[in-house]
Amino acid sequence: MSDIQIAGLFVGALFFLILMRVPIGISLIAVSFGGLWSMFNWNIAWGSLGIVPYNFANSWVLSSIPAFLMMGFICYHTRLTQGLFSAAQTWLSGLPGGLAIASVFGCAGFAAVTGSSVACSAAMGKIAVPEMMRNRYSPELATGTIAAAGTIGALIPPSILMILYGIISRQSVSQLFLGGLVVGIITLAAYVLLIVVRVKLNPNLAPPVDGNRATRAEKIKALGQTWPVLLIVIGVFAGLFGGAFTPTEAGAIGALLSMIVAALYRTLTFRAIRMAVVETITTTAALLIIAVGASLLTRFLALSGIGDALSSSILAFGVSPVLIMIGVVVVYLLLGMMLEPVGAMLLTLPIVLPLVDETGYSLLWFGVVLVKLLEIGMITPPMGMNVFVIKGVVGNAVSLTAVFRGVFWFVVIDLLIVALLIAFPDIVLFLPRWMN
Amino acid sequence: MKVIGKLISGINGLASGIAGVLVIIMVVHVSADVTMRYVFERPLDATILYVSVFYMIAIAFLPLGLVEQKDSHIAVELLAERFPDRIQTALAFIATLVTAIVAAAVTVRTGQEALSKYAAGAYSIEAGGKILTWPSYFYLPIGFGMMAVVSVWKLIAMLTGRDSGLSMMKVEDPYLSEEKSNV
Amino acid sequence: QESLNFAYGYPESSAIGIAVADYKSAVEERSEGSLSVTGFPMSLLSLSETSPGVRDGLADVGFVLTPYLPAEYSTNLFLHELNLLITLAENPTGKEPLAYTGAMLEYTFNDCPECLAEYQAQNQVYTGGGVTPLYNLLCKDVQITSIEDLAGKRLRAGGAGFVRFAEKFGAQGVRLPVNEVYEGLDQGILDCAMNSAPELTNYNLHEVVTDITLAVPGGAFAGVASANVNADRWKAMTDAQREALLWGGAQITASTTWGFYTDDAVAIQNAKDKGINILEADAELAAAVKEFAREDLNIVSDLFRDTYGVERATEIRDEFQPILEKWYGLVADVETKEQLQQLYWDEVISKVDPASYAQ
Ligand code: NA
Ligand code: NA
C-alpha cells in the first residue's frame, strides 16, 4: 500500500471513530498513532506521543484561550451580562432576532481585540448564548450564531492566522489586515442579513418583535445597566490600542478586570469564582486535547506526502485560474473538516502558494481568502473548533449536532462570500491599494 | 464501589483544584507584568516562561481526569444517538475502552519523557538565573493517568452494572437558579 | 536508495529553506543518488520539537537550535553564548559571522568531545552549524545613537543575555516571542527589538520599523546544529553515504551562514530604500557596547561553569578565542557561497572519518 493510501485509510478510520461517539481528541490521537506505526514503525509513533502534547500546550500565545474563557465565565457567573442583552433588546426592538444581531456585533467587537476565533467564541459564548436561550431563541440559532460570528475574530485585525500567513508567504501583514477588515465587515453584514431573513421566514426561531417601540428614555435607561460589561470592554480596548499590552495579554487583563468590576457590582462571590474557574479549566482541557490530536494528525499527513496528492488533485480541476481556485476552495473545505487552521496552513502552503502564484491571483488576496476558508473549517463538522467551544460553554443544554445544524446557513452564506471574492478580487484589494 | 469512586473523584478534585488556582495566578501574574512594565517600567522576569510552561501545561492537562469524570469530552452524537438503546450502550462501552487504552498509552509515554527530563534536570535560562522546568513534564502523566483511571473505572461499573460512585459535580447556572427561587 | 526526511521550523522561502534545498542537491549528487532528501518546512516539527523529533526518528535530519534544550546541550550552548566575541573583533569587516561559524565547526568537531557526547545522548549526529548576522536595534519612532538614548526604552530581548544588556543601559528587556514583535512595535509596547536585519523581511518588521541602529547590541545567534542526523539512520549507512552527509553538512553550514550574511546587506539596503533611517552608535555608545561584551563574557563563563554544569567553561573560552582569530584570517578572501563551503570542507569537515565518526 502506498503512503497516500494508508493516509486515506486512517482518515476513514478517524471518521468512523468520531461517528461512533469516541471522543474527538482520543480519536485523533489513536488514528495518528496507528497511522505513523503502520507507515513507519513503532518507535516513530511512540516517540510522537511524547513530543507533541507537551510542546503544543507549551505556548504563550495559546494562554489567551483560558484567559478569555475565564473572562466570559466570570462575567456570566457574576451576572454582569444581564443588562447587556436587555439593552440590546430595547435598542434593537424593531428588528427580528435583535439579540442574535446584537451578539454578532458583540463578536465583531471582540474580534478587534483577540487574534483567534476560538478566543472570540469563548468570550462571547457564555455571555450571549444563555441570554438568548432565556429569551426563547431557538437553541440552534443561539449557538449557531455565536459559533459562526466567532470566525470574524481571525478576519478583523489583529489576527494570528494572517500574521503567520504573512510570514510564510512574505506578504505585508498590515495590507493583509486591511483586506481582512473588509471581508470581516462583509461577513458581519451578511450574517445580520441572514438572521433577519431567517427569523422573518420562520418566527419559531426567535421571540416575536415587541409591538411597542421603546421610548428614548427607556433606551437610555437600558444603556445604563450595561456599564459593567462596557467598562471591561473599554478597558481592554483602551489598553490594547494605547500600547499597554498585546492581544495575548488582553485575555488576562480582561479576566482580572471582570473580577474587579464584579467586585464593584457586589456579585463576586467565592461560589461564582469557583464555578467560573472549574468551567474555564475543564473547557480548556477538553479543547486542548482535541488540538493536540489535530496537531499529531498534521504530522502524520505531512509524512504521508499528501502535499503532492493535493497539488495534483487541485490541478485536476483544470488549468484556468478560476478552476484552480475552485479546486483550492474544495481542498480547503475538505481539510477544514478535520484539521485546525494553523496545521492546515503549515501543511499546505508550500504546495499551494506556487500554484496560486501561477494563476495570476495576488498572494495578498489569497491570504485573505485562505483565512476565510480556514475559518469556515472552524464551524464545519466533524472537527469544528468554534462549535466545540460553544458546546463546551453551554454544556449539556444543547447537543453538538444541534450546534452544527445551527451553523448550516452561516456556512452557506460564507461560501457565497468566498465565491464573491473569487469573482471580484478587488473587494479584498481596494482598501490595501488605496491606503498605500 | 462507592469508596473507590469517591477516592478517584477526590484525586480529580485535587488535580483540577491545582489547575484552577493556577489559572487565577496566571491571570494575576500576566496583569502584574503588564502593570509593572507599563506603569512602573520594570517588567517581571520570565513571565512568558511561567505562563507557557507552568500555567498552560497544568491548565491543559491536569483537569483531564475531571473532564472524563463529568463526561465532558467533546464527542459527536450525530449518528450514535439514532441507534437503539442496546447498541448505544455497546458503543459507549467501546468508546470508553478506546479512551482508556489511548489515555494509558499517552500516560506511559509522557511519563517516560518526564522521567528523562527529570534525569537531565531540564531547565530554562532566564535573566534571573536558572529556572527548573522538569516538574512541568509531570503534569501530563498525572492528567492522562487520571483520565485512564476514570475510564477504566467506568468500564468496571458498566460491566458489573453497579454505580461508579463518581461524583458528577454540576455547575449551577446563576440565572436559572435565580428564577427557580422565585417560583 | 535511502530517503531522508529533513525537518526545519522555518518557511521554505527563508534563508534556511534555501539552505536545505542546497543540502538536498549536495547530498543527492555526492551520494550518486543513493540518498534522497525531502524537506519539511514547519509542518512536520516545530523549532522546539526538532531535537526530540530527530531523536525519535520522526525526521531523519533536522535543523536543531540548542537554546531550546539548555540542560541537554549546555556545552554547545556555551559556545553559542561566546558570540559576543564578535563584537570585540579589532578590525571588523562584516565577515565575523562567517569566521565564527568556522571556529564553532572546528572546535565542536575537534576539541569538544563533550559537545559531541551531548548530541550522541540525544541520538543525533552533528554534521554542521551556522550563524546569523549581527544584532541591531530595530526601532519604531525612536532614534538611538547615544548611551542616554537607551535609558528607559523598552527593548525586545530574545534571551537572558539581551536582558542583561538592556539592564546595563537602564532600559527594560521585554521578553516577547519573535512572532509578536511586529504587533509589539506597532502598538508601542516595544520601542525597539534587538534582532538581526533579515528579520525585517522575515517577520515583515520593515512595515513598522522607522530607525535602525547598527551593531547595537552586537553579537549573533550561533546556537545552531543545522543538519543533525538521527544516529540509528547514520549507523545503518555505508561510509560513502555518511561522507555524502558530511559534505552536505559543509554545504548547509555555508548556505545558512552565507544566506544570512547576504540577506543582511540586502535587508539594510532595502530598509534604506524604504526610507528607514540607518544610524550608527556614537563613539561613546560603541565603546560601551564593547565594554558590555567584555564584562558579559566573564559573566557567561562563570554562569555556565557554576550554574549550568559546563566544568571546562573557562578553558573552552580561552581555547576558542585563538581559533576564532585564525578564522578571521581564513574568511577574509571568501567572496562566494561555493568558496565558503569549500573552506569549511577543507579546513574541518573533510578531516572527519566517516567510518569511525559517531559510532
Ligand atoms: Na481579530
Ligand atoms: Na471543520
Side-chain angles (χ1 to χ4, degrees):
Chain A
M1 230 180 355
S2 77
D3 286 353
I4 286 290
Q5 286 168 325
I6 295 179
L9 194 71
F10 276 89
V11 168
L14 175 66
F15 276 87
F16 179 77
L17 285 179
I18 289 176
L19 285 177
M20 291 300 113
R21 214 169 58 191
V22 176
I24 293 166
I26 293 292
S27 309
L28 285 162
I29 297 174
V31 163
S32 312
F33 179 84
L36 287 172
W37 187 8
S38 60
M39 205 156 72
F40 297 98
N41 56 47
W42 169 265
N43 281 347
I44 287 178
W46 188 237
S48 72
L49 289 187
I51 297 167
V52 174
Y54 183 92
N55 283 297
F56 186 88
N58 175 1
S59 160
W60 161 247
V61 174
L62 220 53
S63 72
S64 71
I65 289 172
F68 276 116
L69 279 170
M70 174 92 166
M71 178 178 116
F73 284 125
I74 289 274
C75 285
Y76 180 71
H77 284 288
T78 59
R79 285 185 274 144
L80 299 184
T81 49
Q82 64 183 4
L84 196 61
F85 282 85
S86 52
Q89 207 163 28
T90 316
W91 278 76
L92 300 169
S93 57
L95 275 178
L99 272 185
I101 293 169
S103 310
V104 175
F105 278 103
C107 274
F110 261 102
V113 182
T114 77
S116 89
S117 69
V118 171
C120 218
S121 311
M124 283 305 291
K126 197 71 197 185
I127 296 174
V129 175
E131 289 294 334
M132 280 194 267
M133 287 173 55
R134 282 197 319 133
N135 283 284
R136 289 180 288 114
Y137 277 68
S138 92
E140 288 174 23
L141 180 66
T143 52
T145 300
I146 304 296
T151 65
I152 300 175
L155 287 167
I156 292 181
S159 162
I160 296 167
L161 284 179
M162 287 195 185
I163 292 176
L164 194 64
Y165 178 84
I167 290 169
I168 297 173
S169 67
R170 305 202 159 213
Q171 294 298 303
S172 153
V173 175
S174 52
Q175 303 224 343
L176 284 167
F177 278 1
L178 287 171
L181 182 64
V182 174
V183 177
I185 291 171
I186 292 174
T187 306
L188 171 80
Y191 284 179
V192 168
L193 201 67
L194 174 70
I195 292 168
V196 173
V197 170
R198 283 199 65 207
V199 173
K200 281 236 168 181
L201 292 179
N202 181 1
N204 293 333
L205 290 176
V209 174
D210 202 340
N212 351 308
R213 291 287 182 89
T215 64
R216 205 167 147 169
E218 281 172 335
K219 283 186 176 177
I220 291 172
K221 185 165 172 261
L223 211 55
Q225 293 165 354
T226 62
W227 69 266
V229 173
L230 278 184
L231 203 60
I232 297 166
V233 171
I234 290 172
V236 170
F237 268 70
L240 198 67
F241 292 104
F245 43 77
T246 64
T248 306
E249 292 163 337
I253 299 284
L256 187 70
L257 212 54
S258 61
M259 282 195 267
I260 294 170
V261 171
L264 293 174
Y265 201 64
R266 298 179 184 283
T267 50
L268 187 71
T269 59
F270 176 74
R271 232 174 68 170
I273 295 179
R274 204 185 72 128
M275 287 190 291
V277 163
V278 168
E279 288 201 68
T280 302
I281 59 169
T282 50
T283 309
T284 306
L287 291 175
L288 281 185
I289 191 174
I290 295 177
V292 163
S295 181
L296 271 164
L297 185 72
T298 312
R299 321 312 170 93
F300 165 57
L301 291 180
L303 281 170
S304 74
I306 201 169
D308 297 331
L310 280 180
S311 69
S312 54
S313 56
I314 290 171
L315 287 171
F317 275 80
V319 283
S320 90
V322 171
L323 287 179
I324 289 182
M325 278 318 299
I326 291 173
V328 168
V329 169
V330 170
V331 163
Y332 276 105
L333 289 178
L334 291 175
L335 283 177
M337 294 173 76
M338 289 151 348
L339 294 177
E340 49 84 44
V342 173
M345 208 186 239
L346 297 182
L347 187 64
T348 55
L349 279 189
I351 302 113
V352 172
L353 279 180
L355 271 177
V356 172
D357 214 17
E358 270 173 44
T359 63
Y361 280 102
S362 91
L363 290 183
L364 175 69
W365 169 85
F366 180 66
V368 176
V369 173
L370 175 68
V371 170
K372 180 75 191 159
L373 286 171
L374 293 173
E375 286 300 313
I376 295 175
M378 300 289 277
I379 52 176
T380 55
M383 272 280 295
M385 284 305 273
N386 275 15
V387 171
F388 299 161
V389 173
I390 299 298
K391 167 70 181 158
V393 160
V394 297
N396 292 332
V398 185
S399 79
L400 194 60
T401 321
V403 191
F404 275 124
R405 272 201 299 268
V407 296
F408 175 76
W409 284 106
F410 291 97
V411 173
V412 172
I413 287 288
D414 280 336
L415 291 177
L416 287 176
I417 295 176
V418 170
L420 200 67
L421 300 179
I422 293 178
F424 307 103
D426 281 340
I427 295 174
V428 174
L429 295 173
F430 85 89
L431 191 58
R433 217 179 274 148
W434 184 65
M435 294 290 278
N436 229 355
Chain B
M1 285 298 270
K2 264 216 168 117
V3 181
I4 298 177
K6 267 195 165 168
L7 180 71
I8 294 173
S9 304
I11 299 172
N12 281 333
L14 186 69
S16 29
I18 295 170
V21 170
L22 286 175
V23 85
I24 294 178
I25 296 180
M26 177 174 87
V27 162
V28 173
H29 192 153
V30 173
S31 304
D33 186 32
V34 168
T35 313
M36 290 301 290
R37 183 180 71 215
Y38 192 69
V39 182
F40 300 100
E41 310 214 322
R42 287 209 57 86
L44 303 176
D45 183 39
T47 306
I48 292 184
L49 178 83
Y50 281 111
V51 168
S52 53
V53 170
F54 293 104
Y55 307 146
M56 273 310 286
I57 307 261
I59 296 164
F61 298 113
L62 283 183
L64 281 176
L66 181 67
V67 176
E68 182 63 31
Q69 179 184 321
K70 296 202 316 171
D71 274 329
S72 298
H73 275 295
I74 296 163
V76 175
E77 313 93 337
L78 192 66
L79 194 61
E81 69 190 3
R82 287 160 204 250
F83 290 137
D85 282 353
R86 276 180 51 195
I87 297 183
Q88 283 205 36
T89 314
L91 281 183
F93 184 85
I94 294 168
T96 315
L97 184 65
V98 174
T99 305
I101 294 169
V102 171
V106 181
T107 305
V108 174
R109 182 68 193 96
T110 54
Q112 290 174 340
E113 198 71 4
L115 289 175
S116 85
K117 287 289 170 183
Y118 168 72
Y123 56 81
S124 175
I125 295 178
E126 298 295 326
K130 173 180 183 173
I131 298 179
L132 292 177
T133 55
W134 63 259
S136 68
Y137 286 83
F138 283 89
Y139 292 141
L140 286 94
I142 295 172
F144 280 103
M146 283 315 295
M147 187 171 170
V149 168
V150 171
S151 40
V152 166
W153 190 242
K154 278 187 188 168
L155 287 175
I156 293 172
M158 282 183 214
L159 281 176
T160 57
R162 295 166 70 178
D163 180 30
S164 69
L166 293 166
S167 94
M168 299 290 292
M169 70 185 286
K170 277 259 182 297
V171 171
E172 296 157 50
D173 188 307
Y175 295 103
L176 295 181
S177 40
E178 188 81 351
E179 277 173 2
K180 247 177 236 155
S181 64
N182 290 344
V183 171
Chain C
Q1 193 197 30
E2 301 269 332
S3 71
L4 301 170
N5 292 329
F6 192 130
Y8 58 104
Y10 292 90
E12 203 176 10
S13 57
S14 66
I16 289 152
I18 294 165
V20 172
D22 287 351
Y23 178 83
K24 173 186 163 71
S25 32
V27 168
E28 289 177 355
E29 198 186 298
R30 187 87 171 183
S31 68
E32 292 168 342
S34 85
L35 292 175
S36 73
V37 178
T38 312
F40 287 89
M42 296 167 100
S43 59
L44 182 54
L45 295 167
S46 69
L47 284 175
S48 60
E49 293 165 344
T50 308
S51 178
V54 173
R55 177 197 67 194
D56 292 342
L58 261 90
D60 305 303
V61 194
F63 193 94
V64 171
L65 300 187
T66 50
Y68 279 103
L69 295 169
E72 287 84 348
Y73 292 130
S74 54
T75 319
N76 283 288
L77 192 51
F78 177 63
L79 285 181
H80 150 66
E81 290 280 348
L82 293 177
N83 68 68
L84 281 170
L85 286 168
I86 291 180
T87 314
L88 299 175
E90 278 178 21
N91 303 303
T93 60
K95 286 183 180 165
E96 288 73 25
L98 312 184
Y100 200 87
T101 307
M104 226 168 129
L105 272 185
E106 179 175 336
Y107 196 82
T108 308
F109 273 118
N110 298 344
D111 306 309
C112 187
E114 56 270 66
C115 294
L116 297 179
E118 284 171 4
Y119 290 123
Q120 194 170 23
Q122 297 305 310
N123 199 34
Q124 291 168 46
V125 179
Y126 172 84
T127 66
V131 174
T132 68
L134 256 59
Y135 281 93
N136 308 305
L137 289 173
L138 313 179
C139 307
K140 183 180 184 231
D141 302 330
V142 164
Q143 302 203 321
I144 293 183
T145 52
S146 69
I147 297 179
E148 294 76 47
D149 290 341
L150 273 171
K153 295 296 183 296
R154 287 194 284 253
L155 313 178
R156 184 258 168 174
F162 292 110
V163 175
R164 285 196 296 273
F165 178 87
E167 282 171 355
K168 157 101 179 172
F169 291 96
Q172 300 177 49
V174 177
R175 298 295 302 269
L176 267 191
V178 65
N179 51 13
E180 285 199 308
V181 168
Y182 181 97
E183 290 184 313
L185 284 168
D186 195 31
Q187 292 168 1
I189 293 151
L190 300 170
D191 294 308
C192 304
M194 297 188 260
N195 278 95
S196 62
E199 311 290 32
L200 287 167
T201 339
N202 291 341
Y203 294 95
N204 289 306
L205 299 182
H206 56 79
E207 290 176 13
V208 288
V209 166
T210 59
D211 298 86
I212 298 174
T213 310
L214 295 176
V216 179
F221 186 83
V224 176
S226 55
N228 271 8
V229 184
N230 174 283
D232 303 323
R233 292 300 304 266
W234 176 268
K235 285 173 192 157
M237 283 181 194
T238 65
D239 289 355
Q241 287 173 326
R242 289 186 204 140
E243 199 258 2
L245 286 179
L246 287 167
W247 172 256
Q251 180 67 63
I252 195 170
T253 307
S255 292
T256 304
T257 312
W258 188 261
F260 278 129
Y261 172 70
T262 49
D263 278 3
D264 191 49
V266 171
I268 290 172
Q269 187 55 47
N270 282 345
K272 275 185 194 153
D273 295 345
K274 285 202 158 84
I276 298 174
N277 301 312
I278 309 291
L279 312 169
E280 304 268 350
D282 66 15
E284 199 191 358
L285 177 56
V289 168
K290 283 199 169 193
E291 181 54 34
F292 169 80
R294 255 186 293 274
E295 280 174 16
D296 208 58
L297 282 166
N298 291 329
I299 294 177
V300 164
S301 304
D302 291 350
L303 263 179
F304 272 78
R305 186 192 56 218
D306 302 337
T307 315
Y308 303 130
V310 180
E311 285 167 20
R312 279 204 313 131
T314 324
E315 187 187 330
I316 290 175
R317 188 188 63 178
D318 296 341
E319 286 174 3
F320 188 74
Q321 285 189 32
I323 296 177
L324 180 59
E325 292 293 334
K326 180 186 91 184
W327 275 89
Y328 285 149
L330 287 173
V331 299
D333 299 327
V334 170
E335 295 303 335
T336 67
K337 181 156 81 176
E338 290 69 33
Q339 289 172 358
L340 190 63
Q341 195 233 356
Q342 200 62 46
L343 181 67
Y344 292 151
W345 176 253
D346 291 343
E347 289 293 322
V348 187
I349 305 185
S350 64
K351 295 169 186 163
V352 177
D353 174 20
S356 63
Y357 179 58
Q359 288 304 303

